[in-house]
Amino acid sequence: MISYIRGSLAQRGNGYVIVEAGGLGYQIFVSATTLTALPEVGEEVKIHTFLHTKEDGIALYGFSSMEELELFHRLIGVTGVGPKSALGFLAHLTPQEMILAVLSDDVKTLSKAPGVGRKTAQRVILELKDKFQTADAIAMEMEVQTAAPSSQAGAKWEAMDALTALGYTRSEAAKVVNAVATEEMTTEEILKAALQKMSAF
C-alpha cells in the first residue's frame, strides 16, 4: 500500500496530476478540491494516496488532507460507489458538508455531485448515516483543511452544535437545521428558526 507520495509536481491535468518522486512519475487522480489546493508545477507536494486495483489495471487516487482520504474510504465502502463516484462527491462537497447532508437525509444535495443519481445518494445515506452518528467525535474533526467550507455550511454546523448541546441528537439537529436554513441566515437565525420548528412538534 502506498500511503502518500512526496515529490515535485510535474504536471496538472483534467482530474489528475503527475508527481515525480525517486525518478518516477506517478499519475494520481484527484478531486477538483485537491487540484485547487495544490501548489504550482515544479513545487514540492505531499499527497495522501489510495491504491485501487482491478482486473484491467491499477490506479492511484490522491488527497491533500487525511480528512478527504478518510471520507473517500467511507464512500467506496458503500455498495455501488466506486472511486470515480467518490471523487465526484468530494469535488462537490467538503467533508463537513457531506456529513451534514447524510445526517439530514439531504438526497437533493448529494445528487448534485457529478455522476451521482438519486438512488446512489439514497444508498449513501442509508449505509453511512449510522456510521456518522456513532462517530460524531471523528466527524466533527473532518473539516477540509485545503478549502474552508462555505459560511453557510459553517453556520449550519454551528447551529447543529448548539442543538446537540441542548440535548437533541445529531440526526434530529441536522434534519431541522437543513429544513429551516437559507443561504443568507446567520447561525443565530438558523438556531432560532430551528428551535421554533422543534417546539411546534
Side-chain angles (χ1 to χ4, degrees), residues 155-173:
K156 284 184 176 182
W157 205 256
E158 289 171 1
M160 283 174 59
D161 281 347
L163 289 170
T164 53
L166 291 173
Y168 295 101
T169 67
R170 175 68 59 183
S171 181
E172 289 172 338

Side-chain angles (χ1 to χ4, degrees), residues 32-33 87-94 97 108-114:
T33 300
L87 277 189
F89 280 115
L90 295 174
H92 176 62
L93 300 166
T94 67
E97 291 167 338
K108 183 178 179 180
T109 294
L110 294 177
S111 299
K112 291 180 180 178

Side-chain angles (χ1 to χ4, degrees), residues 3-4 9 11 21 24 44 57 76 82 98 122 131 133 137 145 172 178 180 183 189:
S3 297
Y4 68 85
L9 183 60
Q11 183 181 331
L24 298 173
E44 184 177 281
I76 61 175
M98 181 79 193
Q122 291 172 330
K131 293 181 180 179
Q133 286 178 324
Q145 296 175 351
E172 289 172 338
N178 200 56
V180 302
E183 291 186 5
E189 290 170 337

Side-chain angles (χ1 to χ4, degrees), residues 57-177:
I58 61 175
L60 269 175
Y61 293 86
F63 311 89
S64 57
S65 72
M66 285 300 296
E67 288 79 9
E68 262 198 314
L69 177 58
E70 170 66 20
L71 185 52
F72 178 84
H73 276 292
R74 289 179 181 271
L75 286 168
I76 61 175
V78 174
T79 305
V81 176
K84 290 184 179 180
S85 295
L87 277 189
F89 280 115
L90 295 174
H92 176 62
L93 300 166
T94 67
Q96 188 184 43
E97 291 167 338
M98 181 79 193
I99 294 168
L100 178 60
V102 169
L103 290 176
S104 59
D105 296 324
D106 191 351
V107 175
K108 183 178 179 180
T109 294
L110 294 177
S111 299
K112 291 180 180 178
V116 176
R118 185 176 181 84
K119 288 185 178 179
T120 300
Q122 291 172 330
R123 192 178 302 118
V124 166
I125 290 172
L126 178 66
E127 296 190 26
L128 292 185
K129 191 170 185 177
D130 288 341
K131 293 181 180 179
F132 286 147
Q133 286 178 324
T134 57
D136 281 343
I138 296 174
M140 287 300 294
E141 294 175 1
M142 289 178 62
E143 182 174 333
V144 162
Q145 296 175 351
T146 59
S150 68
S151 58
Q152 174 60 19
K156 284 184 176 182
W157 205 256
E158 289 171 1
M160 283 174 59
D161 281 347
L163 289 170
T164 53
L166 291 173
Y168 295 101
T169 67
R170 175 68 59 183
S171 181
E172 289 172 338
K175 285 182 179 179
V176 72
V177 165

